[in-house]
Amino acid sequence: MGKPMADYVKLPELEEYKEWFKDFADLYREDGILQVTWKTLDGPMHHSGMSHRAISQLVRVLSLDYKNEIIIFTHIGDHWMTESDPNGWETYSELPTQRFQHQYFDDTNLIKNMVFDLDVPTIGAIPGSGFHWDSAMLSDITICSEDTWMEVPHAHGGLVPGDGMGLMAQHYFGTKRGNYYMMTARQWTAQQMLDWGMVSEVVPKDQVMARAWEIARMWKTMPYENRTIMSNLAKRPLKKLLVEDLKLHTVSEQYGSLLRIAAGDMGDRNAAQQDEKYISQTNDWRYTFPHMQQAPTRESWAAFRTEPIEWFKKVEAGEAVNPCDPTRPVKPYRPDGE
């Protein structure tokens, strides 16, 4: 038997690329099942231009490693992403090139890489409330805890909700319901997500990851080729949706932001459009109180800019407890308690 003229290209192995992304994700693989746990350093993921980019970059790298046969996407701790890096948007604000790259490339890649790059079955495992739930909801199936609340928050801060979350709300909820939740920033619950087709299962708190691994191991009993082909069928509706509408959505958000920058009314809480770092500071409040699950009014929208500030003052004074406290020690889940 002859020898090929050139060998396969050597691509990075898990031990190598897990080091590349160690500030943003914990990677653990067992029997071909890869668990991706989003984080920032040793705590919950803090939304930033850097984490935004790392998510899409990691997904692309994962697609090149054929040893990743099934992938679970989750978040460290008992919430999804709730925090923001207040200094993590400096390069994002640089015009024109840096902001263009973040909004034109990163915003799009964060969504499309999940369904166009990954050929294997994927599971989204949501341990609790949070925002930027893209990777979980774009997975082939999605599991969430019974106490999960979520929303499309953009409009509250004056942004065009075009980063893909509004598009997914329209897709999963139906046009009218999706439009309503996209345009009002009203929250929805785990049960509503199940009833409206956004998640596959709702499970008791602290059982999300065990259930995700149970399903992944169940899939492992199928032939590798067949479960991979099955995943392609699962992704097909989203692929068609993203080809039709994703870029229009992401560019619309970018255009709206550039208009506000040109008009000089984008910035702090008093601006017509709040900068990302200011909007994200209120997340802990949004996932502590159920106010945003009610039908919104002009008054409730106005309160969004004041009530979280007053609550944070009480938290800092020791008069209230923040259940999303990002300083609490957290560890990535390991199956079988490893």
Side-chain angles (χ1 to χ4, degrees):
M1 186 173 181
K3 183 179 179 181
M5 293 177 64
D7 202 350
Y8 291 105
V9 174
K10 186 183 184 305
L11 296 174
E13 298 282 346
L14 176 60
E15 292 306 313
E16 184 176 359
Y17 61 77
K18 74 184 296 184
E19 184 68 16
W20 298 353
F21 292 95
K22 65 181 181 180
D23 289 345
F24 301 106
D26 173 84
L27 304 180
Y28 172 82
R29 187 167 65 201
E30 176 188 308
D31 191 28
I33 302 168
L34 178 75
Q35 177 183 298
V36 178
T37 306
W38 300 122
K39 67 186 185 69
T40 296
L41 303 179
D42 294 324
M45 178 167 270
H46 284 60
H47 190 40
S48 68
M50 298 77 186
S51 67
H52 213 230
R53 179 167 295 173
I55 292 172
S56 63
Q57 290 173 326
L58 175 58
V59 168
R60 184 159 288 165
V61 171
L62 296 181
S63 72
L64 301 175
D65 186 349
Y66 288 176
K67 294 178 183 176
N68 297 324
E69 300 181 27
I70 297 170
I71 304 177
I72 300 170
F73 290 95
T74 190
H75 189 283
I76 200 167
D78 57 4
H79 287 82
W80 194 257
M81 190 192 316
T82 60
E83 306 304 317
S84 174
D85 179 348
N87 302 308
W89 299 97
E90 301 311 312
T91 60
Y92 194 97
S93 301
E94 294 178 12
L95 293 170
T97 304
Q98 289 277 15
R99 191 172 191 101
F100 172 78
Q101 290 172 338
H102 277 293
Q103 290 198 293
Y104 196 79
F105 296 142
D106 294 349
D107 280 11
T108 304
N109 290 337
L110 187 79
I111 303 294
K112 76 176 183 63
N113 291 2
M114 283 291 302
V115 294
F116 285 100
D117 283 9
L118 297 179
D119 294 311
V120 299
T122 53
I123 302 172
I126 302 173
S129 301
F131 77 122
H132 257 299
W133 30 261
D134 327 70
S135 60
M137 297 304 180
L138 289 162
S139 296
D140 298 341
I141 68 168
T142 303
I143 304 163
C144 75
S145 65
E146 58 193 356
D147 65 342
T148 298
W149 308 340
M150 287 182 168
E151 80 284 298
V152 180
H154 303 66
H156 236 165
L159 284 84
V160 176
D163 68 348
M165 287 190 282
L167 177 61
M168 283 187 276
Q170 290 175 320
H171 172 71
Y172 291 120
F173 294 169
T175 303
K176 288 296 182 181
R177 184 184 287 142
N179 287 349
Y180 172 76
Y181 281 87
M182 175 182 73
M183 297 174 75
T184 64
R186 185 174 180 176
Q187 288 180 335
W188 55 81
T189 65
Q191 187 61 48
Q192 287 172 319
M193 284 192 278
L194 183 64
D195 293 342
W196 299 343
M198 192 175 230
V199 300
S200 314
E201 288 186 6
V202 173
V203 301
K205 190 69 171 174
D206 301 327
Q207 293 185 27
V208 173
M209 293 310 300
R211 180 61 179 147
W213 275 89
E214 182 177 28
I215 293 172
R217 286 169 171 152
M218 177 184 73
W219 284 344
K220 279 286 292 186
T221 66
M222 290 181 65
Y224 164 77
E225 297 82 6
N226 289 12
R227 66 171 179 263
T228 303
I229 296 169
M230 176 180 71
S231 178
N232 179 67
L233 295 180
K235 291 177 173 65
R236 183 170 169 78
L238 283 174
K239 287 181 178 179
K240 292 192 288 185
L241 173 72
L242 300 186
V243 166
E244 289 288 332
D245 287 328
L246 178 60
K247 184 62 76 173
L248 175 63
H249 274 244
T250 55
V251 171
S252 294
E253 181 171 324
Q254 178 184 19
Y255 183 58
S257 294
L258 291 176
L259 286 174
R260 301 278 56 78
I261 292 172
D265 60 359
M266 184 175 114
D268 64 20
R269 299 180 193 279
N270 298 313
Q273 178 179 322
Q274 296 179 29
D275 189 85
E276 289 272 3
K277 59 186 177 183
Y278 293 102
I279 297 169
S280 298
Q281 287 176 358
T282 64
N283 284 352
D284 291 0
W285 175 82
R286 294 212 310 266
Y287 302 121
T288 297
F289 302 101
H291 307 323
M292 288 177 57
Q293 293 176 26
Q294 314 306 314
T297 63
R298 182 175 179 178
E299 289 73 23
S300 68
W301 268 41
F304 168 78
R305 298 188 179 225
T306 58
E307 289 191 16
I309 315 295
E310 297 305 313
W311 178 65
F312 269 115
K313 290 179 181 177
K314 294 181 180 179
V315 170
E316 292 171 352
E319 299 170 4
V321 176
N322 178 8
C324 303
D325 182 0
T327 65
R328 288 185 302 169
V330 287
K331 291 183 178 181
Y333 176 85
R334 291 292 183 262
D336 303 321
E338 295 178 18

